PDB file of all heavy atoms in Angstrom:
ATOM      1  N   ASP K   1      68.053 253.851 -13.037  1.00 96.00           N
ATOM      2  CA  ASP K   1      67.300 252.666 -13.423  1.00 96.00           C
ATOM      3  C   ASP K   1      67.305 251.597 -12.330  1.00 96.00           C
ATOM      4  O   ASP K   1      66.339 250.849 -12.166  1.00 96.00           O
ATOM      5  CB  ASP K   1      67.866 252.080 -14.719  1.00 96.00           C
ATOM      6  CG  ASP K   1      67.626 252.981 -15.916  1.00 96.00           C
ATOM      7  OD1 ASP K   1      66.666 253.789 -15.864  1.00 96.00           O
ATOM      8  OD2 ASP K   1      68.389 252.908 -16.895  1.00 96.00           O
ATOM      9  N   VAL K   2      68.418 251.540 -11.584  1.00 97.00           N
ATOM     10  CA  VAL K   2      68.533 250.518 -10.525  1.00 97.00           C
ATOM     11  C   VAL K   2      67.578 250.824  -9.375  1.00 97.00           C
ATOM     12  O   VAL K   2      66.807 249.950  -8.953  1.00 97.00           O
ATOM     13  CB  VAL K   2      69.988 250.435 -10.003  1.00 97.00           C
ATOM     14  CG1 VAL K   2      70.089 249.360  -8.917  1.00 97.00           C
ATOM     15  CG2 VAL K   2      70.956 250.136 -11.143  1.00 97.00           C
ATOM     16  N   ILE K   3      67.608 252.051  -8.893  1.00 98.00           N
ATOM     17  CA  ILE K   3      66.733 252.394  -7.761  1.00 98.00           C
ATOM     18  C   ILE K   3      65.271 252.322  -8.166  1.00 98.00           C
ATOM     19  O   ILE K   3      64.431 251.846  -7.403  1.00 98.00           O
ATOM     20  CB  ILE K   3      67.112 253.783  -7.174  1.00 98.00           C
ATOM     21  CG1 ILE K   3      66.398 253.981  -5.832  1.00 98.00           C
ATOM     22  CG2 ILE K   3      66.789 254.913  -8.124  1.00 98.00           C
ATOM     23  CD1 ILE K   3      66.857 255.231  -5.074  1.00 98.00           C
ATOM     24  N   ASP K   4      64.966 252.769  -9.365  1.00 98.00           N
ATOM     25  CA  ASP K   4      63.558 252.706  -9.810  1.00 98.00           C
ATOM     26  C   ASP K   4      63.043 251.279  -9.818  1.00 98.00           C
ATOM     27  O   ASP K   4      61.919 251.000  -9.359  1.00 98.00           O
ATOM     28  CB  ASP K   4      63.412 253.320 -11.202  1.00 98.00           C
ATOM     29  CG  ASP K   4      63.443 254.840 -11.182  1.00 98.00           C
ATOM     30  OD1 ASP K   4      63.465 255.421 -10.071  1.00 98.00           O
ATOM     31  OD2 ASP K   4      63.468 255.449 -12.277  1.00 98.00           O
ATOM     32  N   GLN K   5      63.855 250.340 -10.325  1.00 97.00           N
ATOM     33  CA  GLN K   5      63.402 248.953 -10.398  1.00 97.00           C
ATOM     34  C   GLN K   5      63.260 248.339  -9.010  1.00 97.00           C
ATOM     35  O   GLN K   5      62.271 247.663  -8.707  1.00 97.00           O
ATOM     36  CB  GLN K   5      64.361 248.127 -11.256  1.00 97.00           C
ATOM     37  CG  GLN K   5      63.887 246.682 -11.440  1.00 97.00           C
ATOM     38  CD  GLN K   5      64.659 245.946 -12.520  1.00 97.00           C
ATOM     39  OE1 GLN K   5      65.206 246.544 -13.436  1.00 97.00           O
ATOM     40  NE2 GLN K   5      64.715 244.623 -12.395  1.00 97.00           N
ATOM     41  N   LEU K   6      64.258 248.574  -8.163  1.00 98.00           N
ATOM     42  CA  LEU K   6      64.223 247.956  -6.836  1.00 98.00           C
ATOM     43  C   LEU K   6      63.083 248.519  -5.986  1.00 98.00           C
ATOM     44  O   LEU K   6      62.377 247.759  -5.307  1.00 98.00           O
ATOM     45  CB  LEU K   6      65.563 248.156  -6.128  1.00 98.00           C
ATOM     46  CG  LEU K   6      66.754 247.436  -6.753  1.00 98.00           C
ATOM     47  CD1 LEU K   6      68.029 247.747  -5.978  1.00 98.00           C
ATOM     48  CD2 LEU K   6      66.532 245.919  -6.818  1.00 98.00           C
ATOM     49  N   VAL K   7      62.875 249.824  -6.015  1.00 98.00           N
ATOM     50  CA  VAL K   7      61.793 250.419  -5.238  1.00 98.00           C
ATOM     51  C   VAL K   7      60.438 249.919  -5.744  1.00 98.00           C
ATOM     52  O   VAL K   7      59.539 249.608  -4.952  1.00 98.00           O
ATOM     53  CB  VAL K   7      61.880 251.962  -5.279  1.00 98.00           C
ATOM     54  CG1 VAL K   7      60.615 252.589  -4.695  1.00 98.00           C
ATOM     55  CG2 VAL K   7      63.103 252.439  -4.496  1.00 98.00           C
ATOM     56  N   ALA K   8      60.315 249.809  -7.059  1.00 98.00           N
ATOM     57  CA  ALA K   8      59.054 249.297  -7.640  1.00 98.00           C
ATOM     58  C   ALA K   8      58.783 247.864  -7.183  1.00 98.00           C
ATOM     59  O   ALA K   8      57.614 247.466  -7.070  1.00 98.00           O
ATOM     60  CB  ALA K   8      59.131 249.362  -9.155  1.00 98.00           C
ATOM     61  N   GLU K   9      59.837 247.107  -6.903  1.00 98.00           N
ATOM     62  CA  GLU K   9      59.688 245.732  -6.442  1.00 98.00           C
ATOM     63  C   GLU K   9      59.457 245.633  -4.933  1.00 98.00           C
ATOM     64  O   GLU K   9      59.286 244.539  -4.398  1.00 98.00           O
ATOM     65  CB  GLU K   9      60.936 244.923  -6.802  1.00 98.00           C
ATOM     66  CG  GLU K   9      61.139 244.733  -8.308  1.00 98.00           C
ATOM     67  CD  GLU K   9      62.486 244.131  -8.642  1.00 98.00           C
ATOM     68  OE1 GLU K   9      63.313 243.971  -7.708  1.00 98.00           O
ATOM     69  OE2 GLU K   9      62.730 243.824  -9.812  1.00 98.00           O
ATOM     70  N   GLY K  10      59.504 246.770  -4.246  1.00 98.00           N
ATOM     71  CA  GLY K  10      59.300 246.768  -2.804  1.00 98.00           C
ATOM     72  C   GLY K  10      60.546 246.537  -1.990  1.00 98.00           C
ATOM     73  O   GLY K  10      60.464 246.284  -0.779  1.00 98.00           O
ATOM     74  N   VAL K  11      61.724 246.632  -2.613  1.00 98.00           N
ATOM     75  CA  VAL K  11      62.984 246.453  -1.896  1.00 98.00           C
ATOM     76  C   VAL K  11      63.278 247.700  -1.069  1.00 98.00           C
ATOM     77  O   VAL K  11      63.091 248.844  -1.550  1.00 98.00           O
ATOM     78  CB  VAL K  11      64.140 246.201  -2.895  1.00 98.00           C
ATOM     79  CG1 VAL K  11      65.486 246.138  -2.168  1.00 98.00           C
ATOM     80  CG2 VAL K  11      63.885 244.917  -3.669  1.00 98.00           C
ATOM     81  N   THR K  12      63.729 247.524   0.162  1.00 98.00           N
ATOM     82  CA  THR K  12      64.140 248.645   0.992  1.00 98.00           C
ATOM     83  C   THR K  12      65.539 249.077   0.546  1.00 98.00           C
ATOM     84  O   THR K  12      66.482 248.300   0.630  1.00 98.00           O
ATOM     85  CB  THR K  12      64.161 248.257   2.482  1.00 98.00           C
ATOM     86  OG1 THR K  12      62.857 247.836   2.858  1.00 98.00           O
ATOM     87  CG2 THR K  12      64.598 249.414   3.342  1.00 98.00           C
ATOM     88  N   VAL K  13      65.651 250.322   0.094  1.00 98.00           N
ATOM     89  CA  VAL K  13      66.871 250.802  -0.517  1.00 98.00           C
ATOM     90  C   VAL K  13      67.512 251.908   0.309  1.00 98.00           C
ATOM     91  O   VAL K  13      66.834 252.800   0.815  1.00 98.00           O
ATOM     92  CB  VAL K  13      66.604 251.339  -1.943  1.00 98.00           C
ATOM     93  CG1 VAL K  13      67.842 252.026  -2.531  1.00 98.00           C
ATOM     94  CG2 VAL K  13      66.144 250.210  -2.863  1.00 98.00           C
ATOM     95  N   SER K  14      68.830 251.823   0.444  1.00 98.00           N
ATOM     96  CA  SER K  14      69.652 252.894   1.003  1.00 98.00           C
ATOM     97  C   SER K  14      70.564 253.394  -0.114  1.00 98.00           C
ATOM     98  O   SER K  14      70.995 252.617  -0.974  1.00 98.00           O
ATOM     99  CB  SER K  14      70.497 252.359   2.165  1.00 98.00           C
ATOM    100  OG  SER K  14      71.417 253.354   2.606  1.00 98.00           O
ATOM    101  N   VAL K  15      70.873 254.676  -0.112  1.00 98.00           N
ATOM    102  CA  VAL K  15      71.817 255.232  -1.082  1.00 98.00           C
ATOM    103  C   VAL K  15      72.981 255.863  -0.323  1.00 98.00           C
ATOM    104  O   VAL K  15      72.776 256.675   0.580  1.00 98.00           O
ATOM    105  CB  VAL K  15      71.148 256.261  -2.022  1.00 98.00           C
ATOM    106  CG1 VAL K  15      72.192 256.990  -2.859  1.00 98.00           C
ATOM    107  CG2 VAL K  15      70.157 255.544  -2.943  1.00 98.00           C
ATOM    108  N   ASP K  16      74.187 255.466  -0.709  1.00 96.00           N
ATOM    109  CA  ASP K  16      75.415 255.903  -0.059  1.00 96.00           C
ATOM    110  C   ASP K  16      76.039 257.020  -0.892  1.00 96.00           C
ATOM    111  O   ASP K  16      76.704 256.769  -1.898  1.00 96.00           O
ATOM    112  CB  ASP K  16      76.357 254.689   0.046  1.00 96.00           C
ATOM    113  CG  ASP K  16      77.722 255.040   0.613  1.00 96.00           C
ATOM    114  OD1 ASP K  16      77.906 256.180   1.075  1.00 96.00           O
ATOM    115  OD2 ASP K  16      78.613 254.161   0.580  1.00 96.00           O
ATOM    116  N   SER K  17      75.821 258.258  -0.474  1.00 96.00           N
ATOM    117  CA  SER K  17      76.387 259.402  -1.164  1.00 96.00           C
ATOM    118  C   SER K  17      76.390 260.608  -0.249  1.00 96.00           C
ATOM    119  O   SER K  17      75.453 260.799   0.518  1.00 96.00           O
ATOM    120  CB  SER K  17      75.607 259.740  -2.444  1.00 96.00           C
ATOM    121  OG  SER K  17      76.113 260.924  -3.053  1.00 96.00           O
ATOM    122  N   TYR K  18      77.434 261.434  -0.351  1.00 95.00           N
ATOM    123  CA  TYR K  18      77.452 262.673   0.420  1.00 95.00           C
ATOM    124  C   TYR K  18      77.069 263.875  -0.425  1.00 95.00           C
ATOM    125  O   TYR K  18      77.060 265.012   0.054  1.00 95.00           O
ATOM    126  CB  TYR K  18      78.837 262.903   1.069  1.00 95.00           C
ATOM    127  CG  TYR K  18      79.995 263.016   0.097  1.00 95.00           C
ATOM    128  CD1 TYR K  18      80.300 264.223  -0.520  1.00 95.00           C
ATOM    129  CD2 TYR K  18      80.813 261.911  -0.182  1.00 95.00           C
ATOM    130  CE1 TYR K  18      81.382 264.332  -1.384  1.00 95.00           C
ATOM    131  CE2 TYR K  18      81.863 261.996  -1.043  1.00 95.00           C
ATOM    132  CZ  TYR K  18      82.160 263.220  -1.637  1.00 95.00           C
ATOM    133  OH  TYR K  18      83.232 263.316  -2.506  1.00 95.00           O
ATOM    134  N   ARG K  19      76.727 263.664  -1.678  1.00 95.00           N
ATOM    135  CA  ARG K  19      76.407 264.756  -2.584  1.00 95.00           C
ATOM    136  C   ARG K  19      74.916 265.144  -2.466  1.00 95.00           C
ATOM    137  O   ARG K  19      74.031 264.292  -2.507  1.00 95.00           O
ATOM    138  CB  ARG K  19      76.738 264.376  -4.014  1.00 95.00           C
ATOM    139  CG  ARG K  19      78.240 264.170  -4.225  1.00 95.00           C
ATOM    140  CD  ARG K  19      78.536 263.891  -5.686  1.00 95.00           C
ATOM    141  NE  ARG K  19      79.962 263.766  -5.925  1.00 95.00           N
ATOM    142  CZ  ARG K  19      80.786 264.785  -6.119  1.00 95.00           C
ATOM    143  NH1 ARG K  19      80.319 266.011  -6.109  1.00 95.00           N
ATOM    144  NH2 ARG K  19      82.064 264.575  -6.335  1.00 95.00           N
ATOM    145  N   ALA K  20      74.679 266.437  -2.360  1.00 96.00           N
ATOM    146  CA  ALA K  20      73.330 266.935  -2.114  1.00 96.00           C
ATOM    147  C   ALA K  20      72.367 266.537  -3.214  1.00 96.00           C
ATOM    148  O   ALA K  20      71.239 266.080  -2.940  1.00 96.00           O
ATOM    149  CB  ALA K  20      73.364 268.461  -1.966  1.00 96.00           C
ATOM    150  N   ALA K  21      72.763 266.707  -4.486  1.00 97.00           N
ATOM    151  CA  ALA K  21      71.846 266.400  -5.592  1.00 97.00           C
ATOM    152  C   ALA K  21      71.520 264.910  -5.619  1.00 97.00           C
ATOM    153  O   ALA K  21      70.373 264.530  -5.904  1.00 97.00           O
ATOM    154  CB  ALA K  21      72.447 266.843  -6.917  1.00 97.00           C
ATOM    155  N   THR K  22      72.499 264.067  -5.321  1.00 97.00           N
ATOM    156  CA  THR K  22      72.257 262.631  -5.312  1.00 97.00           C
ATOM    157  C   THR K  22      71.316 262.255  -4.186  1.00 97.00           C
ATOM    158  O   THR K  22      70.385 261.433  -4.367  1.00 97.00           O
ATOM    159  CB  THR K  22      73.591 261.871  -5.159  1.00 97.00           C
ATOM    160  OG1 THR K  22      74.488 262.290  -6.188  1.00 97.00           O
ATOM    161  CG2 THR K  22      73.370 260.373  -5.274  1.00 97.00           C
ATOM    162  N   GLN K  23      71.505 262.822  -3.016  1.00 97.00           N
ATOM    163  CA  GLN K  23      70.611 262.553  -1.886  1.00 97.00           C
ATOM    164  C   GLN K  23      69.188 263.024  -2.212  1.00 97.00           C
ATOM    165  O   GLN K  23      68.213 262.318  -1.919  1.00 97.00           O
ATOM    166  CB  GLN K  23      71.117 263.249  -0.631  1.00 97.00           C
ATOM    167  CG  GLN K  23      72.406 262.661  -0.088  1.00 97.00           C
ATOM    168  CD  GLN K  23      72.908 263.395   1.147  1.00 97.00           C
ATOM    169  OE1 GLN K  23      72.256 264.330   1.630  1.00 97.00           O
ATOM    170  NE2 GLN K  23      74.058 263.000   1.656  1.00 97.00           N
ATOM    171  N   ARG K  24      69.086 264.182  -2.812  1.00 97.00           N
ATOM    172  CA  ARG K  24      67.773 264.730  -3.176  1.00 97.00           C
ATOM    173  C   ARG K  24      67.071 263.801  -4.170  1.00 97.00           C
ATOM    174  O   ARG K  24      65.884 263.502  -4.037  1.00 97.00           O
ATOM    175  CB  ARG K  24      67.971 266.124  -3.758  1.00 97.00           C
ATOM    176  CG  ARG K  24      66.746 266.997  -3.820  1.00 97.00           C
ATOM    177  CD  ARG K  24      67.106 268.400  -4.232  1.00 97.00           C
ATOM    178  NE  ARG K  24      67.925 269.078  -3.218  1.00 97.00           N
ATOM    179  CZ  ARG K  24      69.132 269.583  -3.455  1.00 97.00           C
ATOM    180  NH1 ARG K  24      69.699 269.485  -4.639  1.00 97.00           N
ATOM    181  NH2 ARG K  24      69.780 270.189  -2.483  1.00 97.00           N
ATOM    182  N   PHE K  25      67.825 263.349  -5.150  1.00 98.00           N
ATOM    183  CA  PHE K  25      67.294 262.424  -6.154  1.00 98.00           C
ATOM    184  C   PHE K  25      66.844 261.124  -5.491  1.00 98.00           C
ATOM    185  O   PHE K  25      65.737 260.619  -5.755  1.00 98.00           O
ATOM    186  CB  PHE K  25      68.357 262.137  -7.220  1.00 98.00           C
ATOM    187  CG  PHE K  25      68.063 260.963  -8.090  1.00 98.00           C
ATOM    188  CD1 PHE K  25      67.244 261.084  -9.195  1.00 98.00           C
ATOM    189  CD2 PHE K  25      68.593 259.711  -7.785  1.00 98.00           C
ATOM    190  CE1 PHE K  25      66.947 259.988  -9.991  1.00 98.00           C
ATOM    191  CE2 PHE K  25      68.304 258.603  -8.575  1.00 98.00           C
ATOM    192  CZ  PHE K  25      67.479 258.745  -9.685  1.00 98.00           C
ATOM    193  N   ALA K  26      67.689 260.562  -4.621  1.00 98.00           N
ATOM    194  CA  ALA K  26      67.370 259.287  -3.968  1.00 98.00           C
ATOM    195  C   ALA K  26      66.112 259.387  -3.124  1.00 98.00           C
ATOM    196  O   ALA K  26      65.257 258.488  -3.146  1.00 98.00           O
ATOM    197  CB  ALA K  26      68.554 258.834  -3.135  1.00 98.00           C
ATOM    198  N   ALA K  27      65.986 260.494  -2.392  1.00 98.00           N
ATOM    199  CA  ALA K  27      64.798 260.670  -1.548  1.00 98.00           C
ATOM    200  C   ALA K  27      63.541 260.757  -2.410  1.00 98.00           C
ATOM    201  O   ALA K  27      62.502 260.156  -2.079  1.00 98.00           O
ATOM    202  CB  ALA K  27      64.953 261.943  -0.693  1.00 98.00           C
ATOM    203  N   ALA K  28      63.633 261.484  -3.508  1.00 97.00           N
ATOM    204  CA  ALA K  28      62.466 261.630  -4.390  1.00 97.00           C
ATOM    205  C   ALA K  28      62.105 260.336  -5.079  1.00 97.00           C
ATOM    206  O   ALA K  28      60.934 260.108  -5.457  1.00 97.00           O
ATOM    207  CB  ALA K  28      62.755 262.710  -5.442  1.00 97.00           C
ATOM    208  N   ARG K  29      63.097 259.441  -5.227  1.00 97.00           N
ATOM    209  CA  ARG K  29      62.880 258.197  -5.958  1.00 97.00           C
ATOM    210  C   ARG K  29      62.478 257.058  -5.048  1.00 97.00           C
ATOM    211  O   ARG K  29      62.318 255.910  -5.491  1.00 97.00           O
ATOM    212  CB  ARG K  29      64.179 257.842  -6.667  1.00 97.00           C
ATOM    213  CG  ARG K  29      64.213 257.693  -8.179  1.00 97.00           C
ATOM    214  CD  ARG K  29      63.319 258.577  -8.956  1.00 97.00           C
ATOM    215  NE  ARG K  29      63.346 258.217 -10.355  1.00 97.00           N
ATOM    216  CZ  ARG K  29      63.503 259.071 -11.352  1.00 97.00           C
ATOM    217  NH1 ARG K  29      63.624 260.342 -11.104  1.00 97.00           N
ATOM    218  NH2 ARG K  29      63.514 258.646 -12.600  1.00 97.00           N
ATOM    219  N   GLY K  30      62.335 257.305  -3.765  1.00 98.00           N
ATOM    220  CA  GLY K  30      61.818 256.278  -2.864  1.00 98.00           C
ATOM    221  C   GLY K  30      62.819 255.578  -1.974  1.00 98.00           C
ATOM    222  O   GLY K  30      62.488 254.557  -1.362  1.00 98.00           O
ATOM    223  N   ALA K  31      64.051 256.094  -1.873  1.00 98.00           N
ATOM    224  CA  ALA K  31      65.012 255.512  -0.958  1.00 98.00           C
ATOM    225  C   ALA K  31      64.505 255.619   0.480  1.00 98.00           C
ATOM    226  O   ALA K  31      63.935 256.637   0.869  1.00 98.00           O
ATOM    227  CB  ALA K  31      66.365 256.180  -1.077  1.00 98.00           C
TER     228      ALA K  31
END
């Protein structure tokens, strides 16, 4: 919910995770 809201607002988002599924999710969600 956090990344979806921030990306929708045009915020440049980075996600800090070494887990493959989390990185995959973040990339698909606009990080």
Side-chain angles (χ1 to χ4, degrees):
D1 292 336
V2 180
I3 192 172
D4 283 354
Q5 184 168 334
L6 294 178
V7 169
E9 294 171 353
V11 175
T12 301
V13 172
S14 173
V15 170
D16 176 8
S17 175
Y18 60 84
R19 295 184 177 276
T22 306
Q23 291 179 3
R24 197 172 293 122
F25 166 83
R29 239 34 187 228

